[in-house]
Amino acid sequence: MRRLGLGSLLFLQHLPRTLSSLLQAICFRKVSAEEQIKDLLRRKNFKEAISLVEELECEGEMTKEMLSFVHAQVGFLLLFDLHFEEAVNHFLQSVTMEPSEIFPFIMRDPNRWSLLVPRKRYWGLHPPPVPLENVVDDGLMAIQRAVFLRKAGVETATDEDFLLNPPSRAELLESAIQNMIRYLRVCRNKDLALQVREGVDTLLMYLFRALNRVDDMEQLASSDNSCVVEELESLLDDSGHLRTLAFLYASKGLSSKALAIWRILARNYSSGLWKDPSMEQPNQDTGTSVISGTKTAAIEASKLLEELSDQDMVLQHLGWIVDVDEEVAVRVLTSEKRADQLSPEEVISAIDPKKVEILQRYLRWLIEDQDTDDMQFHTLYALSLAKSVIEAIEMESSYQTPLAGKFEEANTSNVENVINFQSPIRERLQVFLQSSDFYDAEEVLDLIEGSELWLEKAILYRKLGQETLVLQILALKLEDSEAAEQYCAEIGRPDAYMQLLDMYLDPQDGKEPMFKAAVRLLHNHGESLDPLQVLETLSADMPLQLASDTILRMLKARLHHRRQGQIVRNLSRAISIDTKLARLEERSRNVQINDESLCDSCHTRLGTKLFAMYPDDSIVCYKCFRRQGESISVTGRNFKREIIIKPGWLVNR
């Protein structure tokens, strides 16, 4: 249909070929553009109507706002004709349409946002907004009525596709909801008023729940959203979408309610009341494992607890998280995301004594990461590590007792696990005992006194200054000659080596003398020992051939050391005499001054004035000497930094 011209009246005359025919005239009047558009919309010629409006807008006879108005009008007409996708497409092309205009299609009036809906009737071409269920039901009734009229021979404006293949109610309703979701998602990116944003997000959650799109619900709830909790909590709770509700609570800062839900979820998964997602989605060689629902609940709860400074709430939920996953519990306790850290005393008292690893990891975090010097925590950490090592050793020894063949095979893996556990934990204990200076060594020593932790005992006795006990453990219990000699070097006294030699030669407690270790000691450190004391200490039972070479070398070294000392002493004496002589020569030097002698600095005649002479033979008057100082001469030479060495009698020889 084309738009008519601007003439007020058009007269068309039709002259028949025969004169007997009557003269006929048809008269047309001007119709406004708006009426033409309305007429096209009533006859459902939507594309022609949009084309006409766009043409008028290009010619400047219609505003862009009017174009948006017509797009919205067409969208509503298509919506009631059950063409939801096309309807939303027109809604999105309308810049003047407000998101609140579709609220009545999703939530029945009255509701929280009823007053936000603009009272636009457009041109009265479509019914007032009603919930989508009613739109679909009314549309289906219209299709049925059109089918009946078609059979009676009456033509209708109903879509031909609907008449040939009538859609089901479920299909239409799903399509309506999906397209409403599409529209609201686009609206979320617009700059909207707060109440409108709340309505968009809340109703979007309604639509997600209607289609049971759980992933979209959880993504919306966990992201930055404007959902109204009061409108959704009963809905989500009744429908069983507790995860979504927990995410929603967390996004609104309602941590206590969110944590309570995660606790309920973990309990229901573990007790079997709910099916675990990991059981419903078995791993199918994809290289990824499905996390259990219980662990997921603990992880999500930990994300909240890691940022909470509410100590009571953190400790309240710590217990069930520990039961689910100890690693997650440790992350909660050692989190540095919270503004105020938890009280260590309260945390330690709240940890189950059976959860030894959690306690140790928390104490280790306090000591290494938080740099605490509190003796209480250092001592508690050392005691906990020592207990774990002792228990591992006892368990290992119990597995090594004679068993029947079948039990030995069954327990082989257990023995390996215990040994693998003992190795790192004992190494950690040894490193801590050596590096820390803030634990009570006596208390730790009392705990391990009856055990076979000899190296740990040596470290503790060293902290307490018990040198003899340390040497006895290193030399006799551990038979570590290198460590024993190194400890003697740390002591730094020759008598320490003699004490170690006595231990090797007379170990007591029925042990045989350790001649090889004694020979090693004499070989490495014999020059620092008194040969007479060594000979007096040597046992009569010691084979002479084992120590003869070493003793001979020790005596030669001793003699060499003595003679070397004599040489050094004599050289030092000669240098001292040479220095004294040079100083005497300098002091006894004579200088002849006459009337023509000048100051090397100010060049004035010296005459009878006081003067000074520097070691480089430069002469200055006393006034210049006071100004220059006694260390720097006129030539700029600093005698404290650039020392003048004059050959003496010792060097000449």
Side-chain angles (χ1 to χ4, degrees):
M1 176 179 182
R2 294 187 179 181
R3 186 162 51 94
L4 300 181
L6 298 179
S8 58
L9 293 174
L10 296 176
F11 295 96
L12 300 178
Q13 294 182 349
H14 174 63
L15 298 177
R17 294 180 180 180
T18 58
L19 296 176
S20 60
S21 301
L22 296 176
L23 183 65
Q24 295 180 352
I26 303 175
C27 180
F28 293 90
R29 67 180 177 84
K30 179 182 178 181
V31 180
S32 66
E34 182 175 323
E35 291 299 327
Q36 295 181 52
I37 296 170
K38 287 182 182 180
D39 184 65
L40 291 173
L41 295 180
R42 289 190 187 97
R43 289 186 286 158
K44 300 187 183 299
N45 294 327
F46 302 127
K47 292 182 179 180
E48 295 183 11
I50 294 297
S51 299
L52 178 59
V53 177
E54 290 176 348
E55 181 182 349
L56 292 170
E57 194 266 336
C58 289
E59 294 177 0
E61 298 182 21
M62 189 167 286
T63 63
K64 291 183 177 180
E65 288 74 13
M66 189 61 185
L67 176 61
S68 296
F69 177 86
V70 174
H71 272 298
Q73 176 69 84
V74 171
F76 283 114
L77 291 172
L78 289 170
L79 182 69
F80 282 97
D81 285 346
L82 306 183
H83 296 283
F84 302 110
E85 183 176 359
E86 297 177 19
V88 170
N89 291 339
H90 283 282
F91 289 157
L92 294 176
Q93 294 182 68
S94 174
V95 296
T96 59
M97 181 175 175
E98 301 177 25
S100 56
E101 293 184 47
I102 69 165
F103 288 179
F105 292 97
I106 304 172
M107 181 176 286
R108 295 182 182 276
D109 288 330
N111 56 62
R112 182 186 293 264
W113 299 281
S114 295
L115 298 179
L116 297 179
V117 180
R119 301 304 176 187
K120 296 180 181 178
R121 290 297 297 170
Y122 292 93
W123 286 328
L125 301 179
H126 65 270
V130 291
L132 290 176
E133 294 87 346
N134 295 356
V135 172
V136 171
D137 291 339
D138 294 343
L140 288 175
M141 291 181 62
I143 292 174
Q144 293 176 358
R145 188 165 47 252
V147 171
F148 178 77
L149 293 175
R150 170 70 64 87
K151 293 179 179 179
V154 179
E155 294 296 329
T156 62
T158 305
D159 193 318
E160 191 70 21
D161 293 336
F162 285 165
L163 295 176
L164 298 177
N165 299 304
S168 65
R169 184 178 187 275
E171 292 175 349
L172 290 173
L173 194 56
E174 181 178 358
S175 175
I177 295 175
Q178 286 178 346
N179 284 282
M180 286 296 180
I181 289 174
R182 182 163 63 94
Y183 178 73
L184 291 179
R185 276 182 160 171
V186 175
C187 292
R188 292 194 76 212
N189 299 324
K190 297 180 180 180
D191 186 14
L192 305 174
L194 176 59
Q195 284 187 309
V196 178
R197 287 205 311 270
E198 291 177 349
V200 169
D201 285 357
T202 305
L203 296 181
L204 188 58
M205 185 69 76
Y206 265 87
L207 297 177
F208 284 149
R209 190 204 65 85
L211 297 181
N212 198 30
R213 292 167 60 168
V214 178
D215 292 340
D216 291 329
M217 294 170 64
E218 294 181 359
Q219 183 179 2
L220 175 61
S222 58
S223 63
D224 185 15
N225 63 81
S226 301
C227 294
V228 179
V229 178
E230 294 80 3
E231 293 288 337
L232 294 173
E233 55 185 347
S234 60
L235 176 74
L236 297 176
D237 191 7
D238 295 341
S239 61
H241 294 93
L242 295 184
R243 283 172 52 90
T244 302
L245 184 56
F247 285 126
L248 184 60
Y249 280 143
S251 67
K252 300 304 178 182
L254 303 174
S255 300
S256 59
K257 291 186 176 181
L259 290 169
I261 291 179
W262 290 122
R263 186 172 187 173
I264 293 173
L265 290 173
R267 187 187 307 120
N268 289 342
Y269 283 129
S270 60
S271 62
L273 294 178
W274 288 2
K275 290 184 179 180
D276 198 316
S278 63
M279 301 301 179
E280 296 179 352
Q281 301 175 7
N283 187 16
Q284 298 179 351
D285 298 330
T286 59
T288 59
S289 58
V290 180
I291 301 177
S292 68
T294 305
K295 186 173 181 178
T296 301
I299 292 174
E300 295 298 337
S302 70
K303 293 178 182 178
L304 300 175
L305 295 173
E306 287 176 12
E307 299 180 359
L308 278 181
S309 297
D310 189 340
Q311 180 171 284
D312 295 336
M313 188 178 300
V314 173
L315 298 181
Q316 175 187 354
H317 292 276
L318 178 64
W320 69 269
I321 292 180
V322 169
D323 294 336
V324 174
D325 193 307
E326 295 186 0
E327 182 69 28
V328 175
V330 171
R331 288 206 305 267
V332 171
L333 294 178
T334 60
S335 172
E336 297 185 5
K337 297 179 182 179
R338 55 177 61 97
D340 300 320
Q341 290 297 331
L342 308 176
S343 169
E345 292 82 0
E346 296 296 331
V347 172
I348 292 173
S349 61
I351 296 176
D352 188 347
K354 297 179 181 179
K355 305 297 182 180
V356 178
E357 185 176 357
I358 294 180
L359 176 62
Q360 291 176 359
R361 293 183 63 178
Y362 178 70
L363 291 171
R364 184 180 181 183
W365 174 76
L366 284 177
I367 295 169
E368 296 181 0
D369 295 347
Q370 301 300 305
D371 298 326
T372 180
D373 296 336
D374 195 322
M375 177 177 287
Q376 174 188 355
F377 302 137
H378 281 253
T379 304
L380 183 58
Y381 184 51
L383 292 173
S384 180
L385 290 176
K387 289 179 182 177
S388 298
V389 174
I390 293 173
E391 291 174 358
I393 292 176
E394 292 176 352
M395 190 178 299
E396 180 184 352
S397 61
S398 66
Y399 281 125
Q400 290 177 351
T401 56
L403 297 171
K406 60 179 180 179
F407 292 108
E408 288 182 0
E409 295 178 359
N411 289 328
T412 300
S413 60
N414 293 333
V415 175
E416 293 177 354
N417 292 336
V418 171
I419 294 175
N420 293 335
F421 167 75
Q422 177 188 341
S423 178
I425 196 72
R426 186 169 185 179
E427 181 180 354
R428 197 184 312 156
L429 172 62
Q430 294 169 358
V431 171
F432 177 72
L433 293 179
Q434 288 178 338
S435 60
S436 175
D437 296 325
F438 302 104
Y439 60 87
D440 188 343
E442 293 183 354
E443 188 173 352
V444 180
L445 194 58
D446 290 340
L447 176 64
I448 67 174
E449 189 65 37
S451 66
E452 297 294 323
L453 302 179
W454 294 111
L455 182 55
E456 290 78 359
K457 292 179 184 179
I459 297 172
L460 293 171
Y461 282 130
R462 180 174 176 271
K463 294 281 186 180
L464 297 173
Q466 301 291 336
E467 298 174 357
T468 303
L469 294 175
V470 176
L471 284 176
Q472 287 178 350
I473 293 174
L474 294 177
L476 305 180
K477 294 294 184 181
L478 300 177
E479 298 183 358
D480 190 345
S481 302
E482 183 178 355
E485 293 173 13
Q486 183 179 356
Y487 182 63
C488 290
E490 293 178 7
I491 295 175
R493 299 192 310 271
D495 64 303
Y497 291 108
M498 287 301 304
Q499 187 178 9
L500 180 59
L501 182 61
D502 288 336
M503 292 180 186
Y504 285 148
L505 298 177
D506 187 16
Q508 299 179 354
D509 295 335
K511 292 187 66 175
E512 295 293 332
M514 304 170 65
F515 294 130
K516 291 184 179 181
V519 171
R520 169 192 167 92
L521 176 62
L522 293 174
H523 177 76
N524 294 335
H525 305 283
E527 66 276 4
S528 61
L529 301 177
D530 187 351
L532 183 58
Q533 290 185 5
V534 173
L535 292 174
E536 291 176 352
T537 305
L538 291 178
S539 171
D541 299 333
M542 181 177 181
L544 186 60
Q545 64 272 16
L546 292 177
S548 58
D549 295 339
T550 302
I551 295 174
L552 181 60
R553 187 165 50 253
M554 182 179 66
L555 293 173
K556 289 181 179 180
R558 187 75 173 181
L559 181 60
H560 173 72
H561 181 71
R562 181 182 177 184
R563 290 178 178 175
Q564 192 176 31
Q566 291 175 348
I567 294 172
V568 172
R569 184 172 66 253
N570 292 332
L571 285 174
S572 299
R573 185 179 301 173
I575 292 174
S576 177
I577 294 173
D578 189 27
T579 304
K580 291 179 180 178
L581 180 59
R583 186 177 182 185
L584 180 62
E585 290 177 353
E586 287 292 324
R587 287 181 176 274
S588 61
R589 279 199 300 163
N590 295 322
V591 180
Q592 185 177 359
I593 300 296
N594 53 34
D595 293 339
E596 301 298 328
S597 298
L598 301 177
C599 173
D600 291 337
S601 177
C602 63
H603 304 291
T604 60
R605 296 181 181 275
L606 293 177
T608 59
K609 296 180 181 179
L610 292 175
F611 65 90
M613 185 176 67
Y614 287 99
D616 61 353
D617 298 332
S618 59
I619 299 174
V620 295
C621 63
Y622 189 71
K623 182 179 180 180
C624 293
F625 173 74
R626 292 283 301 273
R627 186 177 65 253
Q628 288 286 126
E630 61 181 13
S631 301
I632 302 176
S633 70
V634 180
T635 60
R637 184 168 186 173
N638 191 333
F639 299 108
K640 289 185 177 180
R641 297 179 181 176
E642 303 177 22
I643 301 173
I644 296 178
I645 300 177
K646 295 184 178 181
W649 63 271
L650 181 61
V651 178
N652 290 338
R653 289 184 183 180

